[in-house]
Amino acid sequence: MDRRQLLKRLLLAGPVAYLGLTNCQKAGNDSQNIKWAMGWILWREYDEQEMTLTDSFQDLKDLGTDGIELTLRKREFKQFNVTLARVKEMLDDYGLAVSGHYFSGPFYDKSSFSEIREELQQKINSLKFFNARHIIIGPPRFSKAGNRLETIKSMGPVLNDLGKIAQDQGVEIGIHPHLKTIIETPEDIHAIMDATDPRFVYMSPDTGHIHLGGGDVVEILTTYKQRLNYFHFKDAAGEYTYPDFKPNLRELGSGEIDFLAVMRLLREIKYKGWINVEQDATELAPRASAEKSMKFIDNMLKPIYT
């Protein structure tokens, strides 16, 4: 489908669909449309030694990334003796931006909505302080005693409300499929996307989790290409055996996911936004892992989107 046909279809679909074009299909076929980040989790989860914010910021600066997905835990402010203001100063010194914050909660529990809304507002306030706009919605865990699809459907109105609250303040929320949660399989993904309003709830996919959850990454991204607003890129290989997915994770270019096809899709739709390399687990030291993925990005992915 060419751009003229796409615009025609969006106009026929109504003003909401057409306006959604501004979020993920802005004009311009330029590699600068994409900003690359890496997740603090890579340094946070390293067991061999304690890594600091400075360690991660220096590594990311050296590797030429644009930012970091940084959702600091309460204890980490004390651990590193920092405030939000100090973190922002440090990021500015290293020429980095915050790409987004991760947020999860029991979205199917209506009795928790007040608490969830309060926590969401804290994330919004923090994002705005960093001049950022993306909240990555981590699905909650699920008790196998309930009806999975009905529970997913019940989250729709809550997520719509949260998305509207965020949007009114210049922030976006995106559904983030993740193993060991209620949104794992293609069936789960389709159910939550059907249950939510595309005006307020986007998709912030994780390639590795979609793949290990039994999904065809390119197919699912194509299905929801109008709602893509943020990414976690991670590679994966092998058959996922519940509950431990970490042995299946790989640096970019070392697994089974066709990232070249993903980038061709993003070029086709003129995606504009953040791609965060989210390495949940690795056998490498953080800098070595980050460097391996960035070499694949620089050599194989960036040339596609030029």
Side-chain angles (χ1 to χ4, degrees):
M1 182 188 302
D2 62 26
R3 183 171 177 79
R4 181 176 296 176
Q5 292 172 316
L6 173 62
L7 288 172
K8 182 178 179 181
R9 179 172 292 187
L10 288 170
L11 286 169
L12 289 173
V16 169
Y18 178 75
L19 289 172
L21 182 66
T22 63
N23 289 293
C24 62
Q25 294 184 295
K26 295 181 181 178
N29 193 17
D30 184 348
S31 60
Q32 293 303 308
N33 282 346
I34 291 180
K35 294 182 288 186
W36 296 92
M38 290 199 173
W40 162 239
I41 191 173
L42 176 60
W43 289 265
R44 170 192 280 152
E45 298 299 320
Y46 187 52
D47 292 332
E48 298 299 319
Q49 67 182 80
E50 181 181 290
M51 307 300 291
T52 68
L53 291 176
T54 301
D55 293 327
S56 65
F57 295 169
Q58 185 65 61
D59 288 346
L60 293 176
K61 178 183 178 180
D62 292 345
L63 293 171
T65 65
D66 301 297
I68 183 170
E69 185 178 303
L70 185 66
T71 312
L72 287 176
R73 297 168 178 168
K74 290 181 179 179
R75 65 169 177 79
E76 289 177 321
F77 286 99
K78 184 176 181 180
Q79 177 183 351
F80 300 124
N81 191 28
V82 294
T83 62
L84 282 181
R86 177 55 187 149
V87 173
K88 189 173 188 303
E89 288 178 0
M90 294 169 66
L91 288 166
D92 290 343
D93 288 343
Y94 285 93
L96 300 171
V98 169
S99 61
H101 287 340
Y102 193 87
F103 176 59
S104 185
F107 303 116
Y108 50 75
D109 182 2
K110 293 182 179 180
S111 67
S112 300
F113 182 64
S114 294
E115 181 180 346
I116 291 171
R117 181 173 178 172
E118 181 179 341
E119 292 179 4
L120 177 81
Q121 189 61 53
Q122 292 173 3
K123 290 289 189 297
I124 292 172
N125 294 343
S126 177
L127 280 176
K128 293 177 72 174
F129 183 81
F130 289 116
N131 298 315
R133 61 177 300 181
H134 292 288
I135 293 179
I136 301 92
I137 296 292
R141 291 178 180 268
F142 178 65
S143 169
K144 294 182 179 180
N147 183 304
R148 189 179 188 94
L149 292 181
E150 285 300 316
T151 303
I152 291 173
K153 183 178 179 180
S154 74
M155 296 197 304
V158 173
L159 291 172
N160 288 339
D161 286 342
L162 297 179
K164 180 65 165 56
I165 292 169
Q167 189 178 95
D168 287 345
Q169 299 178 70
V171 172
E172 296 177 358
I173 71 169
I175 298 294
H176 184 71
H178 200 291
L179 298 175
K180 296 172 62 177
T181 76
I182 197 170
I183 310 295
E184 291 184 309
T185 68
E187 184 180 27
D188 301 335
I189 293 170
H190 297 320
I192 193 61
M193 298 308 286
D194 288 345
T196 51
D197 191 327
R199 294 176 299 172
F200 308 126
V201 181
Y202 297 89
M203 175 182 262
S204 300
D206 185 301
T207 57
H209 286 281
I210 290 174
H211 178 73
L212 293 176
D216 181 314
V217 173
V218 176
E219 180 180 289
I220 287 176
L221 298 186
T222 301
T223 299
Y224 298 107
K225 62 185 180 180
Q226 306 297 334
R227 296 175 72 173
L228 300 174
N229 76 329
Y230 187 94
F231 278 90
H232 277 187
F233 269 20
K234 66 167 59 74
D235 215 338
E239 185 175 346
Y240 162 54
T241 302
Y242 187 90
D244 190 7
F245 57 82
K246 290 185 177 181
N248 299 96
L249 303 183
R250 304 287 186 273
E251 277 72 27
L252 300 189
S254 302
E256 301 167 343
I257 297 172
D258 189 351
F259 284 102
L260 304 186
V262 172
M263 291 303 292
R264 287 193 290 268
L265 172 63
L266 298 189
R267 181 184 64 189
E268 173 194 329
I269 67 173
K270 297 180 173 63
Y271 173 80
K272 185 172 184 177
W274 284 99
I275 296 177
N276 176 60
V277 180
E278 187 78 352
Q279 196 68 43
D280 294 350
T282 177
E283 295 181 353
L284 302 176
R287 186 183 177 97
S289 172
E291 185 172 15
K292 186 171 183 178
S293 287
M294 280 307 302
K295 282 184 177 179
F296 180 75
I297 290 167
D298 290 337
N299 295 332
M300 302 299 294
L301 300 189
K302 286 184 178 180
I304 294 175
Y305 205 114
T306 55

